[in-house]
Amino acid sequence: MSLAAVDQKRLQDFLLNIRNKTDQFLGYPVSKDFDFQPFADFLDLPLNNLGDPFVESTWKVDSRQYEREVVAFMADLFRAEKDNFWGYVTNGGSEGNLYGLYLARELYPKAMVYYSQDTHYSVKKNLHLLGMENIMIKSQPNGEINYNDLHGAIKMHRNRPAIVFANIGTTMTEAKDDVRLILEILEDLVVTEKYIHADAALCGGLAPFISPRIPFDFQDGVDSISVSGHKSFGSPIPCGIVVAKKNNVEKISRSIDYIGTLDTTISGSRNGHTPLFLWYKIKSLGKKGMQKRVDSSLAIAQYAEQKLLEIDIPAWRNDNAITVVFPQVEAWIKEKYQLASANGITHLVLMPSIKKSQIDSFVLDVSR
Ligand SMILES: *Cc1c(COP(=O)(O)O)cnc(C)c1O
């Protein structure tokens, strides 16, 4: 197979352009520090992790053994019970959130879903797809859910099961809803049929390494967690991991057994390369390497916040966040650094590979 010269040239230009754009961005929570050249040979193979990663299949061109190890590693980080977890490598955080809501709906079909104003935009659509009744709860100014408003809303529907969609790092301000406070509210109102899903798209890879501990995992009381793979870990292809309690998943796979299949995942054909990439990240970094990356991101975030304050930009951060928030900047700066903005604010997300020199150039541009 060969390409015409003009097409080759086009791809070459595109490569340079994308490299440049990757170097420049500071506003999206996507890691850039990876090298998957050792996996080039796998691009010539039709890997496909069809179906449930924990159930044997007649299709053998898969990486499901690696996928199971990735899920087990994350389950351990999220302090799931040793023999009571299940999960799979998704196409991203959104699919993991969809899966968590789907599982919750199968367990509690008559439940009301509660989520804050600052919840990711994809959740509303997924609730619509699943046909789940839901109530949006006010947020506090820092982006965290307003617990009084949550208490009031659940109280009005206390005769129904409650599904709380908790944010462990909101998109704009990296605010973390406190899972223990949410549980206290449910207990106070004696809502015993309850399910908490944690959207830890960004922070699932960070929170386990932050002290004091952030209450967000299975031991803190959640029932499922979704994390993005391309955010805190880094991957050339978007991906994620969802982890849920095995005993809950079995309740719903039984009802699917009934119609003759074990189609437990959202998609049928699934990416077989991304589990390999995640496995490689996990094996090469280890918990120690992950800890180091988180510490250095936090240090750079603190540096960026301080540098912006020094030029009188009212920048701030949530506790132990790698996201620095400040008022909207001029359009050319927003374009140059690919900064997301909403409601008059914008942010930098200090992913592991970002260097002080990049912050210095950014601050210089802002001060002009
Ligand atoms: C990025 C993000 C998502 C969506 O994750 P994808 O991996 O892009 O699908 C969901 N929720 C939050 C809070 C996010 O930051």
Short mmCIF file of all heavy atoms in Angstrom, two decimals, residues 29 90-97 118-123 165 167-172 175 199-203 226-231 238-240, ligand 1:
data_model
loop_
_atom_site.label_atom_id
_atom_site.label_comp_id
_atom_site.label_asym_id
_atom_site.label_seq_id
_atom_site.Cartn_x
_atom_site.Cartn_y
_atom_site.Cartn_z
N PRO A 29 -7.52 18.50 30.65
CA PRO A 29 -6.91 17.56 31.59
C PRO A 29 -6.42 16.28 30.92
O PRO A 29 -6.89 15.19 31.21
CB PRO A 29 -8.05 17.26 32.57
CG PRO A 29 -9.27 17.36 31.72
CD PRO A 29 -8.98 18.42 30.69
N THR A 90 -13.21 1.07 29.31
CA THR A 90 -14.25 1.73 28.52
C THR A 90 -13.62 2.61 27.43
O THR A 90 -12.40 2.71 27.33
CB THR A 90 -15.11 2.64 29.41
OG1 THR A 90 -14.24 3.66 29.93
CG2 THR A 90 -15.73 1.88 30.58
N ASN A 91 -14.47 3.29 26.69
CA ASN A 91 -13.99 4.27 25.72
C ASN A 91 -13.74 5.63 26.35
O ASN A 91 -13.41 6.59 25.66
CB ASN A 91 -15.01 4.44 24.59
CG ASN A 91 -15.07 3.22 23.71
OD1 ASN A 91 -14.03 2.76 23.22
ND2 ASN A 91 -16.25 2.66 23.55
N GLY A 92 -13.93 5.74 27.66
CA GLY A 92 -13.68 7.02 28.32
C GLY A 92 -14.52 7.14 29.58
O GLY A 92 -15.34 6.26 29.90
N GLY A 93 -14.33 8.26 30.27
CA GLY A 93 -15.05 8.50 31.51
C GLY A 93 -16.56 8.53 31.31
O GLY A 93 -17.33 8.04 32.15
N SER A 94 -17.00 9.09 30.19
CA SER A 94 -18.45 9.20 29.96
C SER A 94 -19.11 7.83 29.90
O SER A 94 -20.19 7.63 30.43
CB SER A 94 -18.74 9.91 28.63
OG SER A 94 -17.93 11.03 28.48
N GLU A 95 -18.45 6.87 29.22
CA GLU A 95 -19.05 5.54 29.13
C GLU A 95 -19.11 4.87 30.50
O GLU A 95 -20.09 4.19 30.83
CB GLU A 95 -18.26 4.65 28.14
CG GLU A 95 -18.92 3.28 27.98
CD GLU A 95 -18.12 2.29 27.13
OE1 GLU A 95 -17.30 2.74 26.30
OE2 GLU A 95 -18.32 1.08 27.31
N GLY A 96 -18.08 5.10 31.32
CA GLY A 96 -18.08 4.54 32.68
C GLY A 96 -19.21 5.13 33.51
O GLY A 96 -19.85 4.42 34.31
N ASN A 97 -19.48 6.42 33.31
CA ASN A 97 -20.60 7.06 34.02
C ASN A 97 -21.93 6.49 33.54
O ASN A 97 -22.84 6.25 34.33
CB ASN A 97 -20.60 8.57 33.78
CG ASN A 97 -19.47 9.27 34.53
OD1 ASN A 97 -18.98 8.75 35.53
ND2 ASN A 97 -19.07 10.43 34.05
N ASP A 118 -22.76 21.42 38.55
CA ASP A 118 -21.43 21.42 37.94
C ASP A 118 -21.06 20.08 37.30
O ASP A 118 -19.94 19.90 36.84
CB ASP A 118 -20.36 21.81 38.97
CG ASP A 118 -20.31 23.32 39.16
OD1 ASP A 118 -21.39 23.91 39.35
OD2 ASP A 118 -19.20 23.90 39.09
N THR A 119 -22.01 19.17 37.28
CA THR A 119 -21.78 17.84 36.69
C THR A 119 -21.46 17.93 35.20
O THR A 119 -21.95 18.83 34.51
CB THR A 119 -23.04 16.98 36.95
OG1 THR A 119 -23.21 16.88 38.36
CG2 THR A 119 -22.93 15.59 36.36
N HIS A 120 -20.64 17.01 34.70
CA HIS A 120 -20.23 16.99 33.29
C HIS A 120 -21.45 17.00 32.35
O HIS A 120 -22.45 16.34 32.62
CB HIS A 120 -19.39 15.73 33.04
CG HIS A 120 -18.67 15.73 31.72
ND1 HIS A 120 -19.12 15.03 30.63
CD2 HIS A 120 -17.54 16.36 31.33
CE1 HIS A 120 -18.28 15.20 29.63
NE2 HIS A 120 -17.31 16.00 30.03
N TYR A 121 -21.30 17.70 31.24
CA TYR A 121 -22.43 17.88 30.33
C TYR A 121 -23.02 16.57 29.79
O TYR A 121 -24.19 16.50 29.44
CB TYR A 121 -22.02 18.80 29.16
CG TYR A 121 -20.89 18.23 28.32
CD1 TYR A 121 -21.16 17.35 27.28
CD2 TYR A 121 -19.56 18.55 28.58
CE1 TYR A 121 -20.13 16.80 26.53
CE2 TYR A 121 -18.53 18.00 27.84
CZ TYR A 121 -18.82 17.13 26.81
OH TYR A 121 -17.81 16.59 26.08
N SER A 122 -22.19 15.51 29.75
CA SER A 122 -22.67 14.26 29.14
C SER A 122 -23.69 13.53 30.02
O SER A 122 -24.42 12.66 29.55
CB SER A 122 -21.49 13.32 28.86
OG SER A 122 -20.83 12.99 30.07
N VAL A 123 -23.74 13.87 31.31
CA VAL A 123 -24.57 13.10 32.24
C VAL A 123 -26.06 13.31 32.00
O VAL A 123 -26.85 12.38 32.01
CB VAL A 123 -24.16 13.43 33.70
CG1 VAL A 123 -25.12 12.78 34.70
CG2 VAL A 123 -22.73 12.97 33.96
N PHE A 165 -25.20 10.92 42.04
CA PHE A 165 -24.08 10.97 41.10
C PHE A 165 -23.09 11.99 41.66
O PHE A 165 -23.33 13.20 41.63
CB PHE A 165 -24.61 11.41 39.72
CG PHE A 165 -23.57 11.36 38.64
CD1 PHE A 165 -23.47 10.24 37.82
CD2 PHE A 165 -22.70 12.42 38.45
CE1 PHE A 165 -22.51 10.20 36.81
CE2 PHE A 165 -21.74 12.37 37.45
CZ PHE A 165 -21.64 11.25 36.63
N ASN A 167 -19.48 13.99 42.04
CA ASN A 167 -18.32 14.43 41.25
C ASN A 167 -17.07 14.38 42.10
O ASN A 167 -16.99 15.04 43.13
CB ASN A 167 -18.52 15.86 40.76
CG ASN A 167 -19.64 15.95 39.75
OD1 ASN A 167 -19.70 15.16 38.82
ND2 ASN A 167 -20.54 16.91 39.94
N ILE A 168 -16.09 13.63 41.61
CA ILE A 168 -14.79 13.62 42.29
C ILE A 168 -13.85 14.38 41.37
O ILE A 168 -13.06 13.80 40.62
CB ILE A 168 -14.33 12.17 42.58
CG1 ILE A 168 -15.45 11.38 43.26
CG2 ILE A 168 -13.07 12.17 43.44
CD1 ILE A 168 -16.00 11.99 44.55
N GLY A 169 -14.02 15.69 41.39
CA GLY A 169 -13.30 16.57 40.49
C GLY A 169 -14.22 17.03 39.38
O GLY A 169 -14.41 16.31 38.39
N THR A 170 -14.84 18.21 39.56
CA THR A 170 -15.71 18.72 38.49
C THR A 170 -14.86 19.24 37.34
O THR A 170 -13.67 19.52 37.50
CB THR A 170 -16.59 19.88 39.01
OG1 THR A 170 -15.73 20.90 39.54
CG2 THR A 170 -17.55 19.42 40.09
N THR A 171 -15.50 19.36 36.19
CA THR A 171 -14.77 19.70 34.97
C THR A 171 -14.11 21.09 35.05
O THR A 171 -12.97 21.26 34.65
CB THR A 171 -15.74 19.67 33.77
OG1 THR A 171 -16.48 18.46 33.87
CG2 THR A 171 -15.00 19.69 32.46
N MET A 172 -14.83 22.07 35.59
CA MET A 172 -14.27 23.43 35.57
C MET A 172 -13.36 23.74 36.76
O MET A 172 -12.34 24.40 36.61
CB MET A 172 -15.40 24.49 35.49
CG MET A 172 -15.91 24.75 34.08
SD MET A 172 -14.62 24.99 32.81
CE MET A 172 -13.97 26.60 33.21
N ALA A 175 -13.75 20.40 41.79
CA ALA A 175 -14.34 20.30 43.13
C ALA A 175 -14.73 18.85 43.39
O ALA A 175 -15.15 18.14 42.48
CB ALA A 175 -15.57 21.18 43.22
N ASP A 199 -18.07 9.95 39.73
CA ASP A 199 -17.46 10.37 38.47
C ASP A 199 -16.08 10.92 38.79
O ASP A 199 -15.94 12.09 39.15
CB ASP A 199 -18.32 11.44 37.79
CG ASP A 199 -17.66 11.98 36.52
OD1 ASP A 199 -16.55 11.50 36.17
OD2 ASP A 199 -18.25 12.88 35.88
N ALA A 200 -15.08 10.04 38.67
CA ALA A 200 -13.71 10.44 38.99
C ALA A 200 -12.88 10.47 37.71
O ALA A 200 -11.77 9.94 37.64
CB ALA A 200 -13.12 9.46 40.00
N ALA A 201 -13.47 11.09 36.67
CA ALA A 201 -12.84 11.10 35.34
C ALA A 201 -11.39 11.56 35.43
O ALA A 201 -10.48 10.86 34.98
CB ALA A 201 -13.63 11.99 34.39
N LEU A 202 -11.17 12.71 36.03
CA LEU A 202 -9.79 13.19 36.20
C LEU A 202 -9.17 12.64 37.47
O LEU A 202 -8.05 12.14 37.48
CB LEU A 202 -9.77 14.73 36.21
CG LEU A 202 -8.43 15.36 36.61
CD1 LEU A 202 -7.33 15.01 35.62
CD2 LEU A 202 -8.56 16.87 36.74
N CYS A 203 -9.90 12.75 38.60
CA CYS A 203 -9.27 12.53 39.91
C CYS A 203 -9.14 11.07 40.32
O CYS A 203 -8.47 10.78 41.31
CB CYS A 203 -10.00 13.33 40.98
SG CYS A 203 -9.80 15.10 40.74
N SER A 226 -16.01 5.67 37.92
CA SER A 226 -15.53 5.77 36.54
C SER A 226 -14.34 6.72 36.49
O SER A 226 -14.35 7.78 37.12
CB SER A 226 -16.66 6.31 35.65
OG SER A 226 -16.15 6.66 34.38
N VAL A 227 -13.31 6.33 35.75
CA VAL A 227 -12.13 7.18 35.59
C VAL A 227 -11.74 7.19 34.11
O VAL A 227 -11.96 6.20 33.41
CB VAL A 227 -10.96 6.68 36.51
CG1 VAL A 227 -10.63 5.22 36.27
CG2 VAL A 227 -9.71 7.52 36.34
N SER A 228 -11.20 8.30 33.65
CA SER A 228 -10.71 8.37 32.26
C SER A 228 -9.27 7.87 32.23
O SER A 228 -8.49 8.18 33.13
CB SER A 228 -10.72 9.80 31.74
OG SER A 228 -12.02 10.33 31.73
N GLY A 229 -8.90 7.16 31.18
CA GLY A 229 -7.53 6.68 31.06
C GLY A 229 -6.62 7.70 30.40
O GLY A 229 -5.43 7.79 30.71
N HIS A 230 -7.18 8.50 29.50
CA HIS A 230 -6.35 9.46 28.76
C HIS A 230 -6.10 10.73 29.55
O HIS A 230 -5.31 11.57 29.15
CB HIS A 230 -7.00 9.81 27.42
CG HIS A 230 -8.41 10.28 27.55
ND1 HIS A 230 -9.46 9.42 27.81
CD2 HIS A 230 -8.94 11.51 27.51
CE1 HIS A 230 -10.57 10.12 27.91
NE2 HIS A 230 -10.29 11.39 27.73
N LYS A 231 -6.77 10.89 30.69
CA LYS A 231 -6.56 12.11 31.49
C LYS A 231 -5.35 11.94 32.41
O LYS A 231 -4.27 12.34 32.05
CB LYS A 231 -7.83 12.45 32.26
CG LYS A 231 -8.93 12.97 31.33
CD LYS A 231 -10.15 13.44 32.07
CE LYS A 231 -11.15 14.07 31.10
NZ LYS A 231 -12.40 14.45 31.79
N PRO A 238 -8.54 7.73 23.38
CA PRO A 238 -9.34 7.94 24.59
C PRO A 238 -9.77 6.59 25.18
O PRO A 238 -10.08 5.65 24.44
CB PRO A 238 -10.57 8.70 24.08
CG PRO A 238 -10.10 9.37 22.84
CD PRO A 238 -9.10 8.42 22.22
N CYS A 239 -9.77 6.52 26.49
CA CYS A 239 -10.17 5.27 27.16
C CYS A 239 -10.49 5.58 28.62
O CYS A 239 -10.32 6.71 29.07
CB CYS A 239 -9.09 4.21 27.06
SG CYS A 239 -7.51 4.69 27.78
N GLY A 240 -10.95 4.59 29.35
CA GLY A 240 -11.27 4.78 30.76
C GLY A 240 -11.44 3.43 31.42
O GLY A 240 -11.30 2.38 30.77
C1 LIG B 1 -13.67 14.55 31.24
C2 LIG B 1 -14.79 14.34 32.16
C3 LIG B 1 -15.81 13.44 31.85
C4 LIG B 1 -15.88 12.73 30.53
O1 LIG B 1 -14.84 11.83 30.39
P1 LIG B 1 -14.35 11.35 28.93
O2 LIG B 1 -13.18 10.48 29.26
O3 LIG B 1 -14.02 12.59 28.18
O4 LIG B 1 -15.48 10.61 28.33
C5 LIG B 1 -16.82 13.24 32.77
N1 LIG B 1 -16.82 13.90 33.94
C6 LIG B 1 -15.85 14.75 34.28
C7 LIG B 1 -15.91 15.44 35.60
C8 LIG B 1 -14.81 15.01 33.40
O5 LIG B 1 -13.85 15.87 33.73
#
